[in-house]
Amino acid sequence: GVNHLGHFALTARLWPALKKAAAGGGAARVVVVSSDGHKKGTIRFDDINLEKPGAYKDCSTPFCSAYTQSKLANVLFAKELERRIPPGIEVAVSSVSPGLVNTALFRYSLPDLKADVGSGALVGDPDGSKLRDLQKIQGYFMTPADTAAQTQLALASDPKLDRA
């Protein structure tokens, strides 16, 4: 789904501008965000949309088959894109796992919150207090979002990491 196709579509849309920047002597980069969850992923070519019964096993955990498949697709996409870049086109491609990041996304893995996937609304937490408590607890063992973003920013902007 969007976890992979978003990276693919954005890169495809920006590819002409990336090539132009790289050809003009500048540096261009593609940073694909993945997850360590990719290690548990498999690409199910016989059921790519995971429509068969049982395809969404473990979806109450961060290792949901849909999530791990999408993150593996991101890693493979970055590797294949790097391989296909013709000589002379200096576009650096990286795939990165930011680690376990303290965001509100965990609301979807906690049944008590009854988070609506479409809107993000918390039916089981109308005043948001459970989510605030969750984020406070997560702060003890998860990386703050602004800290986790530093790796992606470095990959996107540090001149020492150019392809050449």
Side-chain angles (χ1 to χ4, degrees):
V2 131
N3 239 346
H4 168 62
L5 292 178
H7 287 82
F8 180 84
L10 180 62
T11 303
R13 185 87 168 160
L14 292 174
W15 189 245
L18 291 166
K19 280 189 349 188
K20 185 176 179 182
R29 303 190 183 154
V30 175
V31 178
V32 180
V33 181
S34 189
S35 160
D36 284 342
H38 85 276
K39 295 171 187 172
K40 293 203 178 270
T42 56
I43 305 292
R44 298 166 191 226
F45 291 104
D46 64 325
D47 187 22
I48 201 74
N49 293 321
L50 301 174
E51 296 172 323
K52 291 181 180 175
Y56 276 88
K57 65 178 183 157
D58 301 325
C59 281
S60 62
T61 75
F63 296 108
C64 175
S65 54
Y67 178 79
T68 59
Q69 175 174 278
S70 72
K71 293 307 179 180
L72 177 57
N74 283 353
V75 170
L76 296 174
F77 167 63
K79 188 171 178 66
E80 184 62 16
L81 178 61
E82 176 73 23
R83 189 186 72 77
R84 289 184 182 211
I85 295 173
I89 305 283
E90 299 303 325
V91 177
V93 181
S94 303
S95 177
V96 63
S97 170
L100 201 53
V101 182
N102 189 5
T103 70
L105 287 174
F106 266 80
R107 73 177 78 191
Y108 301 108
S109 62
L110 296 174
D112 285 358
L113 296 180
K114 296 184 179 108
D116 180 279
V117 176
S119 69
L122 302 174
V123 177
D125 186 23
D127 67 354
S129 61
K130 289 180 185 176
L131 181 60
R132 281 191 299 280
D133 289 346
L134 171 67
Q135 286 187 287
K136 190 182 299 181
I137 292 166
Q138 288 176 172
Y140 291 108
F141 61 93
M142 292 182 163
T143 305
D146 58 342
T147 303
Q150 295 305 307
T151 305
Q152 288 104 295
L153 291 172
L155 288 169
S157 61
D158 190 333
K160 292 182 269 184
L161 301 175
D162 286 348
R163 188 172 194 229

